[in-house]
Amino acid sequence: MPRKLASLTLILAFALAPALGAEVLNRIVLRVNDQIATLYDYQQHREELVRDILHREQDSGERQRLLGQAGELAYADLFRELLLQSRADQLAVEVTEAQVDTSIAQIKQNNNIKTDDEFKAALAQSGITEAQLRAQLRKQLRVQEVRGRDIQGRVKVDEEDLRRYYRKNLEQFRQPEQLQLREIVVLDGGLPTAADRQRLAADIRAKVQGGASLADAVADTVKTGATSNAVDLGWVSPGDLDKNLETAVWKLPKGAVSEPVQARGGLHLVQVLDRRESRVPPFAEVQEAIRAKEQERVFRQETAKYMVELEKKSLIVANPPAEAANYRRQLVADTADLNDQGGSLNVPAAPPATGPAAGTTPPSSATTIEPTAPGSLPNPKPIDTTPPPVATPPVTPPPAATPPPSTPPPGI
């Protein structure tokens, strides 16, 4: 990885000499003030980036595009990193081991890693050591500090601008019509024949129409395994349900129960507990979502400007490999993308509030080096080694399509 000039000789002499020729080891491909990157650093960075693309990018077309630009992307990453690390040196930014420990603990929590053995297995699978991870996190924390000191004060959000955006984009915030549902399923295989299951479903529906709850109507048949328990599906929007179920329930009035519908697992009987008409929430309900998104946009825009300013103030000697010769178009793309955004906030329609609104902490307080350094830890459940950036308030996802009747709804 990049290092100061003072440490280059020892590293070249002892760490890398057995593996590579002297010409490769000694060739400096980038210098930013007193920070340098060798060809070996670049090659390592590129390999990590390629692994990251192969691990994370699912769209084959986009994956091939990124792989074709891997050299430019890796060199541009090194360019940004050295600029920011050099600035961290100028500001005398120090990161304590306790801060790194806290970041690792957060990574484990975010990725549901409960034991040291699980953590070691994830590290081993990704080909990264804990020491390398700690070094990566230390650099990211240094960058956070630089951004907090140099960019934070530039992030200004005018509330009147937020209101103006809300007024001009009311339909963007519209919430769809929703139904609150509960269901039971007459299970396939719970009774000998399809006719028996139809008769049982009709009997249960009649009991509910007569005033019984779904849970009471199936209290006896649950014990025999003929039906599932009553399951609350929560609030669902158009498209969340199996098409046949949606057709059966969407126009039902509150309290009504559907005809039996054959779907996954058996015959479904679905009751409408409540109905919520389509609505545009008032500004107060979406204000913090707009503010957070606008803070993020302004922060990214100011970061792009800051990187240009930082480059102008720095001593830079670039000698990229041929495959990375056009690295500057990646740097230019950063600014171009932000300019294209203009004043667009791209705020998703906010659902009804389900908890306290997120605070207004600006993005720099939790944003790591961008683009995220490659080499995050893949394991059977992909691990993200960077703390999540501050974004919009938490959004409760819509319920999934009707779960299998023999299992409870997903807990996560």
Side-chain angles (χ1 to χ4, degrees):
M1 304 306 292
R3 77 285 317 253
K4 292 184 180 180
L5 285 168
S7 65
L8 176 62
T9 303
L10 287 177
I11 293 177
L12 292 178
F14 298 106
L16 304 179
L20 298 171
E23 181 179 352
V24 172
L25 296 177
N26 285 294
R27 181 183 165 196
I28 297 174
V29 298
L30 180 62
R31 175 181 176 182
V32 177
N33 299 323
D34 61 347
Q35 293 277 335
I36 65 168
T38 66
L39 181 60
Y40 178 80
D41 294 327
Y42 161 77
Q43 289 172 341
Q44 291 294 102
H45 201 78
R46 185 184 183 283
E47 289 174 8
E48 291 172 354
L49 180 61
V50 168
R51 284 198 298 268
D52 191 65
I53 292 170
L54 292 174
H55 175 68
R56 294 182 183 274
E57 185 56 54
Q58 300 300 314
D59 180 80
S60 60
E62 179 67 6
R63 181 168 60 247
Q64 290 304 311
R65 185 187 72 81
L66 292 174
L67 289 174
Q69 298 179 8
E72 296 175 17
L73 291 168
Y75 196 89
D77 282 355
L78 283 174
F79 189 92
R80 299 184 194 96
E81 182 179 325
L82 265 61
L83 273 175
L84 292 167
Q85 292 300 327
S86 177
R87 179 57 178 161
D89 288 342
Q90 293 169 4
L91 295 174
V93 174
E94 298 291 339
V95 174
T96 67
E97 290 303 305
Q99 289 175 289
V100 178
D101 290 340
T102 299
S103 292
I104 289 179
Q106 187 63 54
I107 289 170
K108 291 178 178 179
Q109 179 180 335
N110 291 348
N111 295 280
N112 197 31
I113 297 176
K114 301 186 182 300
T115 68
D116 289 341
D117 287 342
E118 291 177 353
F119 188 53
K120 290 176 182 177
L123 288 168
Q125 182 177 354
S126 68
I128 188 173
T129 66
E130 184 170 352
Q132 289 170 326
L133 174 61
R134 294 182 72 88
Q136 183 184 104
L137 291 172
R138 190 174 291 108
K139 286 190 293 186
Q140 292 176 351
L141 290 168
R142 278 164 56 86
V143 168
Q144 286 183 22
E145 181 67 20
V146 169
R147 288 178 166 180
R149 294 191 195 184
D150 286 356
I151 307 175
Q152 185 55 61
R154 303 184 182 195
V155 180
K156 308 291 186 184
V157 177
D158 188 326
E159 183 167 320
E160 181 53 36
D161 288 340
L162 306 185
R163 291 183 177 275
R164 186 179 302 111
Y165 180 86
Y166 172 78
R167 291 193 295 268
K168 290 182 178 179
N169 298 275
L170 287 177
E171 286 304 308
Q172 179 179 336
F173 301 96
R174 179 171 294 281
Q175 298 164 1
E177 180 184 15
Q178 293 181 309
L179 300 182
Q180 186 181 21
L181 304 177
R182 177 181 297 154
E183 74 162 13
I184 64 93
V185 183
V186 179
L187 299 171
D188 287 339
L191 290 173
T193 68
D196 292 333
R197 293 192 289 275
Q198 285 284 355
R199 280 193 293 269
L200 177 57
D203 182 55
I204 294 170
R205 183 169 185 265
K207 289 179 180 179
V208 174
Q209 288 177 323
S213 68
L214 273 177
D216 288 342
V218 297
D220 293 332
T221 53
V222 167
K223 297 175 183 177
T224 65
T227 67
S228 71
N229 284 304
V231 176
D232 285 327
L233 301 182
W235 289 96
V236 302
S237 301
D240 291 340
L241 295 174
D242 174 275
K243 275 191 174 182
N244 291 333
L245 285 175
E246 183 172 304
T247 299
V249 304
W250 209 259
K251 299 302 182 182
L252 292 178
K254 179 178 177 180
V257 62
S258 70
E259 295 279 353
V261 177
Q262 183 66 46
R264 185 172 55 178
L267 290 171
H268 293 240
L269 290 171
V270 184
Q271 185 176 29
V272 177
L273 302 180
D274 203 353
R275 178 181 291 277
R276 182 184 285 151
E277 299 301 326
S278 176
R279 64 187 282 266
V280 175
F283 175 75
E285 287 186 20
V286 295
Q287 178 179 3
E288 294 309 320
I290 301 174
R291 185 189 306 279
K293 200 71 177 180
E294 175 68 345
Q295 285 175 331
E296 181 181 354
R297 184 189 69 81
V298 173
F299 180 81
R300 289 177 60 84
Q301 191 172 61
E302 291 302 322
T303 296
K305 295 177 184 177
Y306 173 76
M307 295 299 286
V308 173
E309 296 166 6
L310 202 58
E311 179 181 353
K312 290 179 180 179
K313 298 176 182 177
S314 300
L315 170 63
I316 296 172
V317 180
N319 185 26
E323 65 182 10
N326 291 325
Y327 74 94
R328 280 205 164 273
R329 69 178 179 178
Q330 303 298 335
L331 301 177
V332 172
D334 292 345
T335 305
D337 289 344
L338 292 169
N339 289 338
D340 287 343
Q341 290 179 19
S344 174
L345 303 186
N346 193 28
V347 181
T354 57
T360 58
T361 306
S364 60
S365 66
T367 306
T368 58
I369 186 168
E370 289 186 4
T372 301
S376 57
L377 302 177
N379 77 345
K381 292 183 178 180
I383 295 176
D384 183 1
T385 61
T386 60
V390 173
T392 53
V395 175
T396 303
T402 308
S406 57
T407 59
I412 297 178

